[in-house]
């Protein structure tokens, strides 16, 4: 692995990509290291801002992480990235460019968080409130980066404060149990240090507890770890039972906020047409309307919605109308290879241009409601999660369910969170507990675009994780080794 030691240029070196890979031009105001930067409260706040800034990087959540879902039964890759086809059909090798795209940015986030955790606790010229909040944010974003390394790769190197002090960056993989335990450790400390309320879009205790809930549910998919279901219910209750994180009254408002997030949005990427924008908007939007035309919904997702009102607030289909500036135009299904487009992240300005003033949700309270419902169903059987499921359904005017079981729960998560990068990773953990038969599901033609029917061959346990980037293995000189399951034929 690289030594991702932090060198700060200007305001903590917040690296912002525009277009595909062009750096924003800035005047260099000074060159700093972690040893001479952390001098006052302002520097700490700037350093934390650098953590938030990474979220908008194209190869991180702005585009890269959504690509993991192209192998699901909800999404077709479309676009012109040839590496995505191999990922979608599980035919990729360790040299695939997608595998390494976001790796360095996760470790960059970890590096910045580590430097905060090394330097801030001993500072005396900082208010207790800012100090505590900043430590909480550093723990959260380190956990967040490790979480998005765990989901695709499973076993990955853990670089912590002591490793930085000892310049020990070339480390072997930690086990899955060690990785999940470290994420739990960091999220618990984040929750301990963060407040329930925040300003200027900062994370809160609710954000940390939401990710703890998600963590415990994935952890509980491993044999012998069913006790984590209780942890998930307890963590989720701290979100569900707090009015500060209540569900938004209107479902679509979560995807139409420009400056002020709904109470439901626990973590999001802030995009601006005048300052910086996220390429997420480009990737999901139709090319004929200013986008890049990636990530098309599959017909099976459209069919799953039926008459559910969330369909029109999630995807466009033949016969739909689109408000583009002052004009109401027909959706052109022939502009999509599947006949559909996701619309959660696509709006337009008054003059009809693609609008980049948008908040893109990464974690919503609705996700937590459904995770808690799932945990209760697994523990106590059908009906145990009805309250949480029906709260999510009531928000869009759907009638309540009675004695909802795993099928109803899985469908509710699919429809509520469609296009939000949950489906494939949900299916993987459900396959581990025998709720779904993923090889059979992915072999079904309805799970693929017509050009890929019969090519999506999921092999368990080989494809529970993707291979580690070969480039990182090569740089480690034998310290980092490939995922053992990936070597299975």
């Amino acid at each position: 692995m690289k030594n991702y030691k932090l060198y700060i240029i200007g305001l903590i070196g917040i690296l912002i990509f525009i277009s595909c890979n062009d750096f924003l031009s800035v005047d260099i105001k000074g060159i700093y290291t972690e040893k001479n930067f952390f001098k006052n409260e302002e520097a700490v706040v700037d350093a934390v801002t650098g953590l938030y800034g990474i979220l908008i990087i194209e190869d991180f959540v702005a585009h890269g992480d959504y690509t993991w879902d192209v192998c699901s039964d909800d999404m077709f890759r479309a676009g012109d990235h040839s590496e995505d086809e191999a990922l979608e059909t599980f035919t990729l090798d360790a040299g695939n460019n997608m595998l390494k795209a976001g790796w360095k940015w996760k470790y960059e986030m970890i590096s910045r968080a580590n430097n905060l955790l090394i330097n801030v606790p001993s500072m005396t010229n900082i208010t207790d409130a800012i100090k505590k909040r900043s430590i909480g944010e550093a723990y959260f974003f380190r956990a967040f980066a490790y979480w998005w390394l765990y989901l695709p790769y499973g076993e990955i190197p853990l670089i912590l404060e002591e490793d930085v002090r000892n310049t020990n960056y070339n480390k072997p993989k930690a086990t899955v149990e060690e990785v999940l335990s470290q994420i739990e450790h960091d999220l618990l400390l984040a929750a301990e240090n963060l407040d329930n309320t925040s300003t200027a879009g900062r994370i809160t205790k609710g954000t940390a507890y939401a990710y703890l809930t998600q963590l415990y549910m994935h952890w509980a998919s491993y044999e012998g770890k069913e006790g984590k279901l209780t942890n998930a219910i307890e963590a989720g209750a701290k979100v569900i039972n707090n009015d500060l994180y209540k569900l938004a009254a209107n479902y679509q408002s979560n995807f139409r906020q420009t400056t002020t997030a709904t109470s439901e949005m626990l973590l999001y990427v802030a995009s601006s047409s005048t300052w910086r924008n996220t390429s997420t908007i480009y990737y999901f939007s139709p090319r004929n309307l200013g986008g890049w035309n990636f990530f098309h919904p599959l017909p099976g997702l459209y069919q799953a919605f039926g008459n559910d009102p969330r369909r029109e607030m999630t995807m466009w289909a033949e016969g739909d109308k689109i408000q583009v500036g002052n004009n109401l135009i027909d959706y052109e299904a022939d502009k999509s290879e599947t006949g559909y487009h996701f619309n959660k992240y696509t709006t337009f300005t008054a003059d009809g241009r693609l609008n980049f003033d948008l908040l893109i949700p990464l974690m919503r309270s609705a996700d937590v409601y459904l995770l808690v419902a799932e945990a209760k169903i697994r523990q106590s059987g059908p009906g145990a999660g009805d309250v949480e499921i029906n709260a999510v359904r009531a928000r869009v005017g759907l009638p309540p369910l009675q004695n909802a079981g795993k099928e109803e729960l899985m469908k509710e998560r699919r429809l509520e969170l469609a296009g939000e990068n949950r489906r494939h990773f949900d299916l993987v953990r459900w396959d581990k507990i025998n709720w779904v038969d993923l090889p059979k599901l992915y072999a079904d033609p309805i799970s693929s675009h017509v050009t890929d029917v019969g090519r999506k061959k999921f092999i368990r346990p080989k494809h529970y994780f993707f291979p580690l980037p070969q480039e990182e293995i090569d740089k480690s000189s034998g310290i980092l080794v490939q995922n053992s399951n990936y070597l299975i034929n």
Side-chain angles (χ1 to χ4, degrees):
M1 288 182 53
K2 286 184 178 179
N3 176 347
Y4 288 119
K5 208 170 182 68
L6 178 61
Y7 291 95
I8 308 164
I9 299 178
L11 288 179
I12 200 63
I14 304 172
L15 301 175
I16 301 174
F17 274 36
I18 57 175
S19 183
C20 288
N21 285 306
D22 297 325
F23 282 104
L24 184 66
S25 297
V26 295
D27 295 329
I28 297 177
K29 300 181 193 248
I31 298 177
Y32 304 89
T33 71
E34 65 274 16
K35 292 181 179 179
N36 66 14
F37 181 80
F38 291 96
K39 297 297 185 183
N40 53 40
E41 185 172 292
E42 181 182 4
V44 173
V45 173
D46 286 343
V48 173
T49 300
L51 291 172
Y52 287 91
I54 297 178
L55 293 177
I56 208 161
I57 297 297
E58 182 172 1
D59 283 337
F60 200 167
V61 298
H63 157 250
D65 284 347
Y66 288 100
T67 306
W68 299 121
D69 214 31
V70 300
C71 52
S72 79
D73 58 343
D74 278 358
M75 187 185 290
F76 175 59
R77 66 185 182 276
D80 57 0
H81 290 187
S82 58
E83 62 268 25
D84 295 352
E85 179 179 353
L87 187 148
E88 179 188 40
T89 56
F90 302 102
T91 57
L92 75 169
D93 59 34
N96 187 285
N97 284 334
M98 172 58 197
L99 294 175
K100 67 180 183 179
W103 178 280
K104 68 178 180 181
W105 290 110
K106 272 85 169 182
Y107 279 104
E108 174 65 22
M109 179 175 277
I110 291 161
S111 175
R112 297 185 187 189
N114 280 336
N115 277 288
L116 280 156
L117 293 172
I118 288 169
N119 289 280
V120 175
S122 61
M123 291 179 66
T124 56
N125 57 338
I126 182 173
T127 62
D128 289 342
I130 297 299
K131 183 176 185 177
K132 187 175 182 182
R133 185 190 74 187
S134 299
I135 290 171
E137 289 170 309
Y139 275 121
F140 172 80
F141 280 110
R142 188 168 72 176
F144 180 82
Y146 279 129
W147 179 242
W148 278 102
L149 285 165
Y150 161 76
L151 283 174
Y153 306 113
E155 298 177 342
I156 42 91
L158 292 173
I159 308 299
L160 305 172
E161 297 98 315
E162 197 60 28
D163 298 308
V164 177
R165 293 188 182 99
N166 296 327
T167 63
N168 181 28
Y169 298 100
N170 191 16
K171 293 183 64 179
K173 297 183 302 182
T175 66
V176 163
E177 184 72 12
E178 289 169 339
V179 172
L180 296 179
S181 294
Q182 183 61 48
I183 296 169
E184 177 189 38
H185 168 273
D186 285 359
L187 288 175
L188 287 171
L189 286 173
E192 180 181 317
N193 283 279
L194 293 168
D195 292 329
N196 275 310
T197 58
S198 70
T199 57
R202 293 184 176 275
I203 56 175
T204 64
K205 283 185 185 294
T207 315
Y209 284 123
Y211 277 89
L212 274 167
T213 309
Q214 189 177 60
L215 168 72
Y216 289 134
M217 289 307 296
H218 281 260
W219 209 341
S221 67
Y222 291 95
E223 187 176 356
K225 296 298 178 180
E226 294 81 5
K228 299 297 180 183
L229 295 170
T230 298
N231 296 110
I233 294 169
E234 292 172 351
K238 296 181 187 302
V239 175
I240 293 172
N241 296 333
N242 192 326
D243 283 344
L244 293 171
Y245 315 128
K246 64 184 178 182
L247 297 175
N250 180 280
Y251 175 73
Q252 194 171 39
S253 66
N254 291 302
F255 316 104
R256 296 295 180 262
Q257 300 299 293
T258 57
T259 56
T260 303
T262 67
S263 56
E264 181 176 342
M265 291 175 64
L266 301 173
L267 180 66
Y268 57 88
V269 178
S271 178
S272 168
S273 59
T274 57
W275 179 34
R276 60 180 189 175
N277 59 65
T278 174
S279 59
T280 300
I281 294 168
Y282 276 122
Y283 278 99
F284 277 90
S285 300
R287 184 171 288 114
N288 64 309
L289 297 176
W292 292 343
N293 220 44
F294 284 60
F295 304 149
H296 298 168
L298 286 168
L301 176 60
Y302 175 80
Q303 295 168 19
F305 272 107
N307 295 322
D308 192 304
R310 286 170 293 192
R311 199 281 296 170
E312 293 184 7
M313 296 180 278
T314 298
M315 58 190 292
W316 286 311
E318 186 73 42
D320 287 345
K321 300 288 186 179
I322 307 175
Q323 188 71 46
V324 181
N326 295 322
N327 300 314
L328 192 64
I329 68 171
D330 292 325
Y331 170 67
E332 298 179 67
D334 61 353
K335 303 300 183 184
S336 163
E337 294 188 47
T338 66
Y340 310 97
H341 274 97
F342 285 107
N343 62 26
K344 283 184 172 179
Y345 317 121
T346 303
T347 59
F348 300 92
T349 61
D351 61 357
R353 296 178 181 273
L354 201 59
N355 184 16
F356 291 95
D357 293 321
L358 201 65
L359 306 182
I360 308 293
L362 300 180
M363 174 60 76
R364 298 192 287 115
S365 297
D367 194 342
V368 180
Y369 275 73
L370 296 176
L371 288 169
V372 169
E374 180 182 338
K376 290 182 175 182
I377 291 170
R378 283 190 61 187
Q379 279 193 334
S380 305
D386 283 1
V387 170
E388 291 78 15
I389 292 174
N390 288 330
V392 173
R393 289 174 59 83
R395 186 251 299 275
V396 291
L398 288 170
L401 299 177
Q402 292 184 347
N403 295 316
K406 64 180 183 180
E407 296 299 332
E408 291 82 4
L409 180 281
M410 289 190 292
K411 181 177 181 179
E412 202 64 34
R413 279 191 65 79
R414 184 183 191 185
L415 304 187
E416 174 70 23
L417 301 166
E420 297 182 51
N421 199 18
R422 294 293 188 271
R423 182 63 174 173
H424 173 68
F425 295 124
D426 274 350
L427 288 171
V428 165
R429 64 188 175 83
W430 290 334
D431 186 82
K432 291 177 183 177
I433 61 172
N434 298 316
W435 273 23
V436 298
D437 183 344
L438 200 44
K440 181 179 179 180
L441 174 62
Y442 277 176
D444 191 322
I446 203 171
S447 296
S448 302
H449 184 46
V450 290
T451 59
D452 293 321
V453 169
R455 298 178 58 213
K456 190 181 290 188
K457 293 182 172 62
F458 183 92
I459 301 170
R460 68 164 74 92
K462 176 178 180 177
H463 294 134
Y464 282 157
F465 296 112
F466 296 98
L468 300 182
Q470 188 62 46
E471 182 177 300
E472 299 299 329
I473 293 174
D474 294 342
K475 287 187 297 188
S476 75
S477 300
I479 300 298
L480 188 61
V481 296
Q482 188 53 269
N483 288 336
S484 58
N485 283 338
Y486 183 70
L487 302 178
I488 299 172
N489 291 324

